[in-house]
Every structure is written in structure tokens, then in C-alpha cells.
Amino acid sequence: MPLTPLQIDEVLRSNHDHDCAGFGRDAICVRIVAIADLPSRFGQFQIVAFWNNRDDKEHVALVHGDVRGRSNVPVRLHSECLTGDALGSLRCDCRDQLEAALRAIGQMDCGALLYLRQEGRGIGLLNKIRAYSLQDVGLDTVEANLALGFRDDERDYAVAAHMLHSLGIRSIRLITNNPEKLRQLTQHRVTVSGRIPHVIPPNEFNRFYLETKARRSGHFIDFSGTPRLTEQSDPVVVAGMPETDEGTPA
Ligand SMILES: [Zn+2]
Ligand SMILES: [Zn+2]
């Protein structure tokens, strides 16, 4: 069941004066500042908006059902990608990953997707477009990777860990193909009780993953046959494709 207006009031009141020593190297602290219903094409969600003391970014969680005090809650961490998530870009696979996660969580008893505002692996939209333009003029994927920069994972996981704590989740089953993520979340005091493989159902739009075997050394190949960087930190697995393929953590 989603939170009632009374329960939402409780959560907001207990967050209002929250102030802790913070999570991670940057001592990041977050507060829930608003919760609203968010019916979506992927199911019934509530959107939870977080303030934080460090990065000026407005992180949100999409929560299905009541996750407070629950154990083994399915959780997905998704990093913002304006071009993929909202505009349908095929330079990356972010939208497929986002939709598959929301669709899966929307059908579960309860669960949460943290939408982290870490555009372009944390370097921002403008720098991401700069890196795209370097690829357009022939930089190879390794050079473009350097231009794109690497995400500050430590900070990501610290924000995510605090958000999970603020949501009152006791333990999570992380939806991921990347066991490294589990290890890093554990370092930030998140109790990880398991992993759910993130498998994308095949359809006419992601068929190319199957045809090209998707990820090779962290890249995937788009409709035009061009190798592209993966922007999410998880390799893609489409149903029907073995998860143990080259380049994919078993
Ligand atoms: Zn705090
Ligand atoms: Zn993307």
C-alpha cells in the first residue's frame, strides 16, 4: 500500500530536523522534503524528493508500496540520462534499463528505484555532449571514455545509502548485473540481502542487443553498428542472452 497523507506527514516531520554526521567521504546528509503520488505507465508509484547538504542536486526515489521497516526490498539505482531517459537517444541503453526496472518494480509487492542526478557519469550534461561530439569526429571509445570521465562512485553510493536509510528500508535485494555495486553499498552500511539480475525483456526496439551480443568490453553496439559507451554502471542483459557472456560479470 502507498503511504497515506497521515503517514507522509509523519515521514516529513521526522525528516524536518534530521541532521546526522553524514555518509561517505563528503559526509553527505539528505532529508525527505516531499512525497506525492506518481501513477505511471509502469505501475503505481510515489515519488519521494530529497534535499541534501552537498551537491545541489535534486535526487528522487520512485517507491512502489510501503517499504518502511521492510527487509529484502528490491532496489534499483539509476543514474540520470536526459538524452536517453527522456529524449529516446540510442547512443546509450539508459532508457531500456530504466523502463525495465520500473516495470519490474511496479509488479512486485514493493520496491524502489533511486533516480540519481548523476548525468553523464557525474560530469554533467554539457560535458557529456562534448564527449559525444568527440566521438562523432572519430575518437575511439577509450579516448571518448576518458573525455567523458569516470563517475565518482563513492559519492553516488553514499547518497544512495543515505536515501535508502531515510526511506526506512532495512535490507535490500539490489537489481543489478554488477556485483561490485553490492560491495560498495555494503561499505556504506547498507544491508544487502541479495541480488536480482537486471534482465531486459526482448522487444523490437532492443532486439539489437541480442543480435550484436550487446556489451563487449563495457560497450554496446547501436542500430547503426557503432560501438557506444555504457552510461549506467551495469552491463545490459536481455532475456535470452546468457548472462555469462564475455564482458559481463557472472
Ligand atoms: Zn543524515
Ligand atoms: Zn544514457
Side-chain angles (χ1 to χ4, degrees):
M1 289 288 286
L3 300 191
T4 65
L6 216 70
Q7 290 169 327
I8 290 174
D9 267 359
E10 274 172 31
V11 171
L12 296 186
R13 264 206 310 275
S14 73
N15 271 263
H16 186 264
D17 298 320
H18 171 84
D19 188 17
C20 72
F23 282 50
R25 190 188 55 198
D26 296 331
I28 194 159
C29 179
V30 309
R31 288 177 204 151
I32 296 174
V33 294
I35 304 174
D37 289 340
L38 198 78
S40 85
R41 65 194 63 203
F42 309 112
Q44 197 65 35
F45 291 88
Q46 288 185 314
I47 185 165
V48 180
F50 290 82
W51 167 92
N52 80 72
N53 63 341
R54 281 292 176 265
D55 66 8
D56 276 331
K57 289 179 178 154
E58 299 174 315
H59 305 290
V60 295
L62 268 72
V63 178
H64 176 70
D66 186 355
V67 296
R68 297 171 308 156
R70 295 281 298 266
S71 300
N72 308 317
V73 175
V75 167
R76 173 76 182 166
L77 308 185
H78 184 88
S79 295
E80 175 181 31
C81 173
L82 178 78
T83 48
D85 295 344
L87 305 177
S89 162
L90 295 173
R91 293 190 78 117
C92 63
D93 45 41
C94 300
R95 182 162 164 167
D96 285 317
Q97 298 213 31
L98 176 64
E99 291 193 0
L102 288 173
R103 200 167 279 121
I105 291 168
Q107 288 167 3
M108 290 168 175
D109 183 31
C110 72
L113 179 137
L114 306 192
Y115 193 85
L116 303 165
R117 311 296 298 279
Q118 310 285 352
E119 178 75 52
R121 297 168 175 243
I123 63 171
L125 180 61
L126 300 192
N127 285 326
K128 185 175 85 168
I129 306 305
R130 286 191 181 109
Y132 280 179
S133 77
L134 291 174
Q135 282 181 271
D136 289 345
V137 295
L139 258 72
D140 69 25
T141 47
V142 174
E143 293 164 328
N145 206 353
L146 290 173
L148 191 54
F150 293 99
R151 177 188 323 193
D152 183 350
D153 272 347
E154 237 179 290
R155 194 180 54 178
D156 284 2
Y157 292 112
V159 174
H162 196 325
M163 288 168 75
L164 293 169
H165 179 76
S166 300
L167 289 169
I169 294 173
R170 295 172 72 155
S171 68
I172 68 167
R173 285 184 297 144
L174 196 65
I175 303 171
T176 182
N177 302 323
N178 183 359
E180 171 67 12
K181 251 186 187 172
L182 306 180
R183 198 185 61 74
Q184 296 203 24
L185 272 180
T186 305
Q187 281 180 349
H188 288 295
R189 293 175 283 155
V190 175
T191 305
V192 181
S193 54
R195 177 177 81 91
I196 302 171
H198 188 37
V199 179
I200 294 175
N203 60 40
E204 57 174 314
F205 300 109
N206 62 30
R207 189 183 58 238
F208 67 99
Y209 289 131
L210 288 167
E211 290 169 349
T212 62
K213 293 287 180 191
R215 335 124 316 241
R216 275 183 218 144
S217 55
H219 306 136
F220 76 98
I221 296 171
D222 72 15
F223 283 121
S224 63
T226 309
R228 297 293 188 197
L229 295 170
T230 55
E231 293 184 22
Q232 302 297 323
S233 54
D234 279 61
V236 174
V237 175
V238 177
M241 174 197 294
E243 209 190 327
T244 49
D245 263 3
E246 179 194 350
T248 308

